[in-house]
Amino acid sequence: MATFVLVPGFWLGAWAWREVTATLRAQGHDVHPMTLTGLAERDHLAGPEVSLETHTRDIVRLIEVEDLRDVLLVGHSGGGMPVAQAADRIPDRIARVVYVESGPLPDGTAQFDTVPPEEQQHLRAAIGDGHLLPPPAWDPAADPTNLAGLDEPTLALLRARATPQPLRAATDPVRRTGGRPVPTALVACTFPLAVVEQMISEGHPYFTGLAGGQLFALPTGHWPMLSEPKALADVLDAAARGAPSPGR
């Protein structure tokens, strides 16, 4: 049995992990899906002070208060940033960090830095003077790659339940203490592993932290916990067992 902490990406809460959580628990694992401050059922806490550091503390405190050890700490998309910081703070409690459609951004890099300048301008215009990043329209015609595998009921669920993201979670840079590194794994859905492996070998700053880690392929859209929950749970189970991915 392994211990999982599941951290959602932007706009989502613990609810997004429901089917993955049920499958992992049926496999005998201890699973803790999280909602970060300011999102989902905690959206009433989404003040301008909520930051990447807030979300990092959310993760660290859950692990410490529940006295979890040998944790497989899973971060989806934008959840990879607080996951990376949390693992840096408490490496003795983390068995492996699993990045799902994410990666260990280098020190000093923010999520916004990974977005093309024209998209940054579009997002800034949508945000205005506010402190919240609005969720997307969840329109598969406009975003077919990322929304691949999501049926209309699931898209309707996303439109109903997604909540604005505290902006500083996207604009604050990752800060590392230089603590002991922990093993990593990547679950790649929207881009081939061959591309990932090439970028690792070329020393791309967004992928160098994955060198020597497990690499898993799960071809689907950017939200595999909703498009392929059973397959994602099986990949996470394989990561816990140190087994090769069945999809690789």
Side-chain angles (χ1 to χ4, degrees), residues 26-103:
Q27 293 170 341
H29 300 298
D30 181 26
V31 189
H32 301 260
M34 291 193 65
T35 293
L36 300 173
T37 299
L39 292 145
E41 74 274 14
R42 305 182 68 198
D43 66 347
H44 60 292
L45 302 175
E49 75 283 355
V50 176
S51 64
L52 178 57
E53 177 63 22
T54 307
H55 290 172
T56 302
R57 289 198 305 267
D58 288 341
I59 299 166
V60 170
R61 292 302 293 149
L62 171 72
I63 293 171
E64 291 180 336
V65 169
E66 295 290 339
D67 195 23
L68 305 180
R69 299 182 183 276
D70 297 322
V71 173
L72 276 88
L73 182 53
V74 181
H76 167 249
S77 190
M81 294 180 300
V83 156
Q85 289 196 156
D88 183 67
R89 307 271 177 89
I90 50 171
D92 56 314
R93 290 179 178 265
I94 309 300
R96 187 177 299 275
V97 179
V98 183
Y99 295 97
V100 179
E101 284 282 279
S102 185

Side-chain angles (χ1 to χ4, degrees), residues 100-174:
V100 179
E101 284 282 279
S102 185
L105 294 181
D107 186 74
T109 303
Q111 180 75 16
F112 250 43
D113 297 333
T114 70
V115 176
E118 61 275 12
E119 187 173 347
Q120 289 188 32
Q121 292 176 1
H122 172 75
L123 292 172
R124 293 286 187 186
I127 296 162
D129 295 329
H131 62 272
L132 296 172
L133 180 64
W138 310 109
D139 179 5
D143 194 8
T145 299
N146 285 324
L147 298 177
L150 298 177
D151 58 19
E152 187 51 44
T154 305
L155 291 167
L157 180 69
L158 282 164
R159 295 180 192 117
R161 299 203 65 173
T163 47
Q165 178 77 25
L167 180 60
R168 289 183 57 191
T171 57
D172 287 357
V174 171

